[in-house]
Amino acid sequence: MSSSKSYAAQTATSALAPLSIERREPGAHDVHIDILFCGVCHSDLHQARNEWHNTIYPCVPGHEIVGRVTKVGDHVTKFKEGDLAAVGCMVDSCRTCTSCEAGLEQYCLQFPTFTYNGQDKHLGGITYGGYSDSIVVDEAFTLKVPANLDLAAVAPLLCAGITTYSPLHHWKVGPGQKVGIVGLGGLGHMGVKFAHALGAHTVLFTTSPSKVEDGLKLGANEVVISTDANAMAKHAMSFDFILDAVSAEHDINAYLSLLKLDGNLTLVGAPENPLPVAAFNLLLPRRSFSGSAIGGIAETQEMLDFCSEKQIVSEIEIIDIQQINEAYERLLKGDVKYRFVIDMASLKN
């Protein structure tokens, strides 16, 4: 094993602070990655503060990892030393269930091994994430990074990017369709970019008039202030697909009523409390309401390649690791456009 510098939460109420952790030596199929950048996801904050009531401490968050390969196992074929590489929300799965065999490791029937706060199959204990200077991951769960993109801005694609790309891909969003994106935050801004790049007529819904200009710049054809009843009514029964990226409580029925026959609304935000759904908003006219979680490894690589082709990256603010606690407080206030990314070189300071 080798020591790695990290930032960790020791309790639900403590600030994140430096911690030395152990990483395994690369096995036959492993790659050792020196981490260059790590995105900050709202999930990191939830997990660090035990808001999902399942955190095991110490907790080293971070599942939007971009770095450079410094060592490979004897049987590794996808990577060599010096290659750029990325790690997302998973570092393993059972690999044998029907979901895994279909390339849907995120829905592993045995539950995937998450990049942090998961069960470490190699060292025992729990997995530690990307708020660290290095990580060792099986090449089967390691992704190739397009060299033509800003590496720091690639990092959030490993969670925010694939979380929004996967449902758009699954529901075959493309030219000739009218697609709504609800919310312009860390997830929503990527939804707007992807829907536009896929050729759909893209409509952003937001409660914030201050976000209209940003929405249009990011690729929305229209921006609707969702608190304006008249503006909402003009779009009744006209959408093929709506992606809801809001995690706060909101009226889901207001958006279901905008779907046309056989239209779908997919939720990728995670509101704390259940959202009431009026039955007739689904029955008439045969609408569907579904959810989606990240994406499998093959689909995540497809997303990265699509981003390379279309020159898509996240809108980011780079911070030093020493600013992470301040960043969490700003995240709670929505004070970021639109993702924080940690420059992990700051961990050496």
Side-chain angles (χ1 to χ4, degrees):
M1 295 191 295
S2 60
S3 294
S4 180
K5 294 181 178 180
S6 78
Y7 258 58
Q10 295 284 359
T11 70
T13 57
S14 64
L16 272 68
L19 177 72
S20 179
I21 59 174
E22 297 297 321
R23 296 294 193 189
R24 71 179 185 269
E25 287 299 315
H29 297 280
D30 289 337
V31 294
H32 180 283
I33 301 168
D34 279 355
I35 300 173
L36 301 174
F37 298 99
C38 185
V40 178
C41 180
H42 212 119
S43 299
D44 299 347
L45 189 155
H46 289 308
Q47 201 75 73
R49 297 185 175 182
N50 198 26
E51 291 175 359
W52 292 332
H53 309 294
N54 66 349
T55 304
I56 301 171
Y57 295 99
C59 174
V60 178
H63 58 203
E64 299 178 344
I65 300 166
V66 172
R68 193 171 297 278
V69 176
T70 55
K71 198 181 298 184
V72 298
D74 293 340
H75 294 169
V76 170
T77 59
K78 287 171 52 180
F79 297 92
K80 63 182 185 302
E81 290 184 18
D83 285 351
L84 295 170
V87 180
C89 301
M90 304 175 288
V91 292
D92 210 343
S93 69
C94 82
R95 311 194 196 194
T96 59
C97 71
T98 53
S99 293
C100 289
E101 288 182 344
L104 300 171
E105 298 92 347
Q106 75 273 35
Y107 303 124
C108 175
L109 299 182
Q110 303 293 322
F111 209 70
T113 301
F114 289 133
T115 304
Y116 67 90
N117 204 61
Q119 295 299 314
D120 191 324
K121 297 180 180 180
H122 301 272
L123 299 180
I126 60 166
T127 54
Y128 295 130
Y131 292 11
S132 56
D133 60 15
S134 66
I135 193 168
V136 178
V137 181
D138 190 303
E139 70 168 331
F141 284 79
T142 306
L143 299 140
K144 292 182 175 293
V145 177
N148 65 322
L149 300 177
D150 180 321
L151 296 184
V154 165
L157 299 179
L158 280 304
C159 179
I162 187 58
T163 296
T164 50
Y165 178 88
S166 184
L168 291 167
H169 178 240
H170 176 77
W171 290 96
K172 298 178 172 58
V173 164
Q177 292 187 319
K178 184 177 178 182
V179 170
I181 307 295
V182 184
L184 190 68
L187 293 177
H189 93 282
M190 290 307 309
V192 169
K193 288 191 175 195
F194 282 138
H196 173 77
L198 289 165
H201 181 88
T202 304
V203 180
L204 169 67
F205 293 96
T206 177
T207 58
S208 305
S210 62
K211 291 187 176 180
V212 171
E213 184 178 351
D214 272 6
L216 295 171
K217 285 181 179 178
L218 292 170
N221 299 99
E222 303 177 54
V223 180
V224 175
I225 304 302
S226 56
T227 53
D228 183 336
N230 291 329
M232 293 287 282
K234 291 177 182 177
H235 291 276
M237 299 180 65
S238 66
F239 283 86
D240 297 281
F241 179 80
I242 296 176
L243 184 69
D244 188 335
V246 174
S247 291
E249 289 188 31
H250 59 292
D251 182 8
I252 201 72
N253 295 289
Y255 299 102
L256 287 170
S257 66
L258 302 183
L259 295 170
K260 61 170 61 170
L261 174 66
D262 289 330
N264 170 267
L265 187 154
T266 293
L267 182 67
V268 291
E272 181 180 356
N273 297 313
L275 299 175
V277 175
F280 279 100
N281 268 334
L282 297 178
L283 300 178
L284 297 172
R286 199 169 62 192
R287 300 166 173 133
S288 63
F289 178 31
S290 59
S292 181
I294 54 173
I297 297 301
E299 188 176 46
T300 304
Q301 188 64 62
E302 176 188 304
M303 179 270 304
L304 288 171
D305 295 341
F306 179 79
C307 288
S308 176
E309 176 190 347
K310 300 292 186 180
Q311 293 288 297
I312 295 173
V313 289
S314 296
E315 302 296 311
I316 65 168
E317 178 181 334
I318 297 178
I319 62 169
D320 291 341
I321 188 65
Q322 293 81 8
Q323 298 172 284
I324 188 61
N325 294 299
E326 176 190 345
Y328 276 12
E329 294 307 314
R330 288 180 56 193
L331 196 59
L332 287 171
K333 300 173 185 175
D335 179 24
V336 57
K337 289 188 175 181
Y338 281 92
R339 300 287 280 202
F340 288 116
V341 173
I342 307 166
D343 180 349
M344 297 311 303
S346 62
L347 191 54
K348 299 175 183 176
N349 296 337

